[in-house]
Amino acid sequence: MAKDERRNLGGSRMEGAEPEERMEDWFKEGSTTNEFEEGEVVRGRVVHVGTSEVLVDVGYKSEGAIPIEEFHRHGALPKVGEEIEVYLEAKEDSEGLIVLSKDKADKIKVWDAITQAYEKAQPVEGRVVEVVKGGLAVDVGVKAFLPGSQVDLRPVKNLASMVGQTIRAKVIKLNRRRGNVVLSRRSVLEEEREEKKKHTLEVLNEGMVLTGTVKNITDYGAFIDLGGIDGLLHVTDMSWGRVGHPSEIFQVGDQVEVVVLHFDRESGRVSLGYKQKSNDPWETVETRFAPGTKTQGRVVSLTNYGAFVELEPGVDGLLHISDMSWTRNVGHPSEVLKKGQDIETQILNIDRDNKRISLGLKQIQPDPWSTVSQRYPMGSRVTGKVVRLTDFGAFVELEPGVDGLLHISQMAHRPIATPGEVVNVGDELTLLVIRVDPHERRIGLSLKELAHAVAPPPEAVDDRGGGGRKGKRGKSREYDYDDEE
């Protein structure tokens, strides 16, 4: 709107009035102007909203025009008749018009509010706009600086995650002339924590159930924020079953319901429990799991000596590495099982007092040693492969899981120093079974006795010449195993 149009629209309040009235109005307006000072914030009434500017009557002899962009920056446009606060830049410009500013009025209001908050130690609200050197920039109406050390109660590793958040902080340094504002969100959080702590200490009692937030996790437990006060949830109080590390159950930030086990008001220490929310399943474990029965479970962890299998929530059993296979020499449980695998096992033993259950995997399959006497009777010839040499002999695999011992004394009729003089690992041998003990899981083998047993009988010598004769007994001598002793 052109300036001459503003005059036509706003005009003078004395047009159309009687001379005496015009003089009285002029006098009143002249008196009113003495109440205004340039550089002040005054109240005015919106008289027109145009496409490029807004006219505001502040009770002066003419209206002031404010560019409409100043209103767009602060939200919706005002309505005609609405009262607003504006900044009086000049009573008259080169054309005798009053000069007003909405932007400057708003900034002065912001600075006044910030100054008041600073003097009264009250928090202000602002939005984090960007990461700057040493901290964050926060819009509190003016640009303020939030040092990294004042962002939270603990150091924040990723300050960028704060951008866009609306926060409450205290003004800890203020220089209005230079336009510097320094904030502390930490001081607000500390006050809030103290308030929460005071309330929590008033209501906290042993045995009560509370909801808290996992604040930190260590090797021995988790610290739970109960509201201004932290409690320790020890790893042994997390589950009735076995827990390798607290992180297997909880993560930082988790909301968790816990039971107050112990509370020392003098020291402020709180011990918490999680498993105590339910009954101990080990009290009645024998009614659900009996030795000799088969049961389903899930592998929850692997160790060098075995695998822990969860049979039900809170009840784990140990499947020892020696009970994993009849036929394999298992070096590590991972050769047979993997974490998370569902398996069927047999209950071997239950120790309710010590919360232990022994499990077997191989026991759900037939034991190859239970019928070894039928498959390898004494005096029978067997074929096997040398799998291992020792100082005292060689172990020969007859079938998966069944090895026999070829003792060094049963390798040859001549004295030998080491088994390697006769056999090597990998050799395929035909041997004689000389001992079977299923209970001790032992089979004794012989190479020299097999050779002696299958040798042809000696020919008889004929005194009359030509034909030869039989020996005294007239038959081949059967080999007696005790002869070599």
Side-chain angles (χ1 to χ4, degrees):
M1 182 183 291
K3 292 184 178 180
D4 54 350
E5 291 178 327
R6 296 181 210 153
R7 294 192 185 95
N8 292 336
L9 182 61
S12 171
R13 299 184 186 83
M14 295 183 286
E15 289 182 6
E18 294 299 325
E20 293 81 1
E21 295 175 351
R22 293 201 301 269
M23 181 62 71
E24 184 179 355
D25 289 341
W26 182 86
F27 178 77
K28 289 180 178 178
E29 290 181 357
S31 299
T32 304
T33 58
N34 292 331
E35 298 175 5
F36 293 109
E37 292 292 339
E38 293 180 354
E40 289 184 349
V41 176
V42 298
R43 293 192 68 81
R45 182 173 56 86
V46 176
V47 296
H48 177 72
V49 178
T51 58
S52 60
E53 58 190 11
V54 175
L55 294 183
V56 181
D57 178 12
V58 295
Y60 198 50
K61 61 184 179 181
S62 64
E63 291 83 7
I66 302 176
I68 203 163
E69 289 81 8
E70 293 192 20
F71 292 93
H72 286 311
R73 284 194 289 269
H74 299 279
L77 292 175
K79 297 179 181 179
V80 173
E82 182 180 342
E83 286 195 353
I84 62 174
E85 290 185 334
V86 293
Y87 178 76
L88 179 59
E89 291 196 72
K91 294 180 179 179
E92 293 184 4
D93 61 7
S94 60
E95 298 186 8
L97 299 175
I98 188 170
V99 182
L100 304 175
S101 171
K102 182 70 169 61
D103 275 344
K104 292 183 179 179
D106 289 341
K107 284 190 176 181
I108 289 175
K109 286 174 62 179
V110 169
W111 277 107
D112 287 345
I114 291 174
T115 301
Q116 186 179 25
Y118 174 65
E119 292 173 348
K120 295 183 177 181
Q122 295 176 339
V124 296
E125 192 172 272
R127 187 175 64 88
V128 180
V129 292
E130 63 177 330
V131 178
V132 295
K133 184 178 180 180
L136 298 168
V138 183
D139 182 5
V140 293
V142 296
K143 200 170 187 178
F145 174 63
L146 176 59
S149 61
Q150 299 297 319
V151 172
D152 209 330
L153 297 173
R154 295 187 176 188
V156 178
K157 296 180 180 180
N158 183 18
L159 290 176
S161 63
M162 299 287 295
V163 174
Q165 293 188 27
T166 299
I167 64 170
R168 295 173 69 248
K170 281 192 174 182
V171 181
I172 56 176
K173 289 184 181 180
L174 176 66
N175 189 323
R176 186 163 179 169
R177 183 175 61 84
R178 294 185 177 182
N180 292 336
V181 181
V182 180
L183 305 174
S184 172
R185 178 171 175 259
R186 178 176 180 174
S187 60
V188 173
L189 296 177
E190 287 175 343
E191 288 184 358
E192 292 177 349
R193 182 177 63 180
E194 286 303 313
E195 282 296 318
K196 291 179 180 178
K197 181 178 181 179
K198 182 180 178 181
H199 173 72
T200 302
L201 290 175
E202 289 175 353
V203 301
L204 200 63
N205 285 300
E206 293 181 3
M208 72 185 305
V209 178
L210 296 173
T211 298
T213 304
V214 179
K215 189 175 181 180
N216 188 31
I217 293 178
T218 67
D219 291 338
Y220 55 86
F223 287 93
I224 311 297
D225 183 358
L226 302 174
I229 186 170
D230 293 346
L232 174 61
L233 174 57
H234 197 271
V235 65
T236 57
D237 290 310
M238 290 183 175
S239 173
W240 293 111
R242 179 184 177 278
V243 180
H245 193 273
S247 60
E248 296 176 6
I249 301 179
F250 301 111
Q251 299 295 325
V252 173
D254 286 351
Q255 295 290 312
V256 57
E257 194 174 63
V258 291
V259 179
V260 179
L261 302 181
H262 181 69
F263 173 44
D264 187 338
R265 291 189 180 276
E266 294 184 1
S267 64
R269 293 181 179 178
V270 183
S271 298
L272 304 173
Y274 182 74
K275 69 181 184 182
Q276 287 78 3
K277 294 192 304 173
S278 60
N279 295 326
D280 185 355
W282 285 92
E283 292 297 326
T284 57
V285 69
E286 292 171 334
T287 63
R288 300 183 304 280
F289 304 101
T293 60
K294 297 179 181 179
T295 184
Q296 295 287 331
R298 180 174 58 90
V299 179
V300 292
S301 66
L302 300 175
T303 67
N304 290 332
Y305 54 86
F308 285 93
V309 181
E310 183 184 58
L311 306 181
E312 67 179 27
V315 177
D316 292 350
L318 173 62
L319 173 57
H320 195 271
I321 192 171
S322 62
D323 289 310
M324 290 186 176
S325 175
W326 293 116
T327 61
R328 291 181 57 182
N329 184 18
V330 182
H332 192 274
S334 59
E335 298 174 11
V336 180
L337 303 170
K338 60 182 180 180
K339 188 176 179 179
Q341 181 180 350
D342 292 325
I343 61 172
E344 183 181 46
T345 60
Q346 182 172 310
I347 306 293
L348 303 182
N349 183 49
I350 295 178
D351 184 350
R352 188 185 65 180
D353 295 334
N354 293 311
K355 294 182 174 10
R356 293 177 181 176
I357 294 180
S358 298
L359 303 174
L361 183 62
K362 68 183 183 181
Q363 285 79 2
I364 62 176
Q365 301 293 331
D367 181 358
W369 283 91
S370 62
T371 57
V372 73
S373 297
Q374 288 74 38
R375 299 196 309 280
Y376 305 103
M378 286 184 60
S380 62
R381 286 185 293 178
V382 295
T383 301
K385 182 174 69 173
V386 178
V387 292
R388 183 160 58 97
L389 297 181
T390 68
D391 292 338
F392 55 84
F395 284 93
V396 180
E397 183 183 59
L398 305 180
E399 67 181 52
V402 177
D403 292 350
L405 173 62
L406 174 59
H407 196 271
I408 191 171
S409 63
Q410 295 295 327
M411 289 185 176
H413 289 283
R414 61 181 177 83
I416 57 175
T418 63
E421 296 179 19
V422 179
V423 297
N424 293 303
V425 173
D427 287 352
E428 294 282 350
L429 302 177
T430 298
L431 304 164
L432 186 71
V433 177
I434 60 173
R435 182 188 177 194
V436 180
D437 189 342
H439 301 291
E440 295 292 330
R441 296 180 182 274
R442 294 177 180 176
I443 294 179
L445 304 172
S446 176
L447 183 61
K448 72 176 185 180
E449 291 188 7
L450 176 69
H452 185 80
V454 299
E459 294 294 336
V461 178
D462 188 357
D463 292 340
R464 292 169 296 181
R469 61 182 178 86
K470 295 183 180 180
K472 294 181 180 179
R473 297 180 182 178
K475 59 180 179 178
S476 62
R477 177 178 180 272
E478 292 186 358
Y479 186 79
D480 185 356
Y481 297 141
D482 293 334
D483 290 346
E484 292 296 330
E485 297 298 330

